[in-house]
Amino acid sequence: MALNLAQLRAFLAVVDEGGFGAAADALGLTQSAVSHAVAALERTLGHPVLSRRGRAAPTAFGEEVLAHARAAVAASAAITDLAERRRGGARGTVRLAAPPTACQGLLPDLLARWQAEFPHVRVRVFEGEDDEVAEWLLGGTVDAAVLVDPPPGSGAPVCEDAFHALLRTDHPLATLPAVDVADLADDPFLLSRGGCERHVRQAHAGHPFTPRHRVRELGTLLAMVRAGVGVSIVPGLVASMLPPGLVLVPLRDQVVRRLVLSGPPTREWHPAVTALVDSVRVPAGRA
C-alpha cells in the first residue's frame, strides 16, 4: 500500500486536534475513517506513529515523521491553492495563531473582513501566548500568526498597541488623562506572566518593581484588579475585554508593542496566507 496525503492529513489532524473524534470533526470525516487512515499509514511505514493510551500523541517515530508530514501536506495544499488562485481568488484553509488580546481585540474585525474579501478561504484560529504562537509558526503547526515585536521581515503590521494602567473605576487615578508608573507604587502590583511581562518591566525601568502577585491568565488578572487586590499594566487591546468596574488609563511614558501578521519565516507561504497578509498591508493604527 502506497503512502498518500489523506493518511498524512489524518495523522496531523489527530495530533493537532488532540484526538480521533476532534480530528474527524475538523476533517469532515467519520471517526472510523480517520482511525483507518492512521492505521493504514502505520502499516505502510511499518511503525506506529501514534500512542493511543489516553490522549492521542505522537510516538518517538511519529515525532520524526511529523515535520515531514506537515511539509508534504503544506506543499500539496500550496500547489493546489496556487492553481485555484490563478483561476480567480484565494482558496483553502489557513491555520492562524494569535495571542489572547489579539484574538479578542483584532481578529473579529479581520475575520469579518476576510470573509467578505476571500469567501473561499477558511481561517481557523488558535490562541496561545506570544512565545507559543511564534513556535507554532516556526514548527509548521500553523500557517500564519499575529506576532508580537518580530524582527523586520515580510509580514504586515496590523496594530501598534500602547500599554495602559489597569485600575478599578473608583481608583483615585482612574479619571486622569494619563499616569506615571510611579503613581502606581502605592498599590500592590499584579504582574501578567504572559507575553506582556517584558513590556511591563520596560515600563518600570528606573522605578522600584516588586510585584505582589504573578498571574498567567488574563481573566484572572482582570478579576483580581476588579476585586481590589491590586493594579496592573496591560496592552490597550484589553479594552475590548474589560468587565464593568475596570478602566484603562494611558501611561505618560508610552510603551508600545508591534503586532504583525506574517507567514512562516523559513518556508514558502500558503498562497491564501499571502492574500490575507497583502489585504492588511496598510499603515498600522494605534490601538
Side-chain angles (χ1 to χ4, degrees), residues 117-129:
E117 290 184 24
F118 308 108
H120 301 296
V121 175
R122 178 190 178 202
V123 180
R124 296 183 59 204
V125 176
F126 296 80
E127 184 178 291
E129 298 298 342

Side-chain angles (χ1 to χ4, degrees), residues 1 12 51 58 68 111 123 150 184 201 204 212 229 249 262 277 282 287:
M1 184 179 297
L12 293 177
S51 170
H68 298 292
L111 291 172
V123 180
L184 306 177
R201 291 187 178 278
H204 281 88
R212 178 72 59 86
V229 177
V249 179
S262 181
V277 171
V282 295

Side-chain angles (χ1 to χ4, degrees), residues 46-263:
H47 300 280
V49 295
L50 287 173
S51 170
R52 292 164 174 80
R53 296 177 181 176
R55 178 184 171 93
T59 61
F61 176 68
E63 289 284 2
E64 295 183 56
V65 171
L66 202 56
H68 298 292
R70 291 196 193 283
V73 170
S76 173
I79 292 169
T80 301
D81 291 338
L82 187 59
E84 292 289 351
R85 196 176 181 190
R86 287 274 181 150
R87 286 197 286 269
R91 295 175 179 268
T93 297
V94 172
R95 298 164 300 172
L96 171 64
T101 50
C103 284
Q104 298 203 37
L106 280 179
L107 288 190
D109 288 344
L110 281 177
L111 291 172
R113 172 177 167 181
W114 289 335
Q115 187 174 17
E117 290 184 24
F118 308 108
H120 301 296
V121 175
R122 178 190 178 202
V123 180
R124 296 183 59 204
V125 176
F126 296 80
E127 184 178 291
E129 298 298 342
D130 298 2
D131 54 349
E132 292 177 319
V133 166
E135 289 173 6
W136 293 342
L137 183 62
L138 187 62
T141 300
V142 297
D143 307 298
V146 177
L147 301 173
V148 178
D149 294 331
S154 51
V158 291
C159 181
E160 288 186 354
D161 190 16
F163 280 73
H164 293 61
L166 173 65
L167 309 170
R168 282 168 51 119
T169 52
D170 60 359
H171 192 282
L173 303 176
T175 58
L176 295 181
V179 297
D180 290 317
V181 169
D183 297 333
L184 306 177
D186 292 335
D187 294 274
F189 192 85
L190 312 180
L191 174 63
S192 170
R193 292 293 303 276
C196 297
E197 180 172 353
R198 173 171 58 86
H199 301 88
V200 174
R201 291 187 178 278
Q202 179 184 342
H204 281 88
H207 299 275
F209 184 52
T210 308
R212 178 72 59 86
H213 300 285
R214 290 172 168 80
V215 183
R216 180 171 178 83
E217 295 297 329
L218 181 58
T220 303
L221 182 71
L222 297 176
M224 291 177 71
V225 174
R226 190 181 184 192
V229 177
V231 300
S232 191
I233 292 176
V234 296
L237 285 177
V238 170
S240 65
M241 307 162 64
L242 283 186
L246 295 181
V247 65
L248 296 184
V249 179
L251 297 180
R252 191 164 283 111
D253 294 327
Q254 281 198 344
V255 173
V256 176
R257 63 176 186 166
R258 294 171 51 252
L259 300 181
V260 175
L261 176 67
S262 181

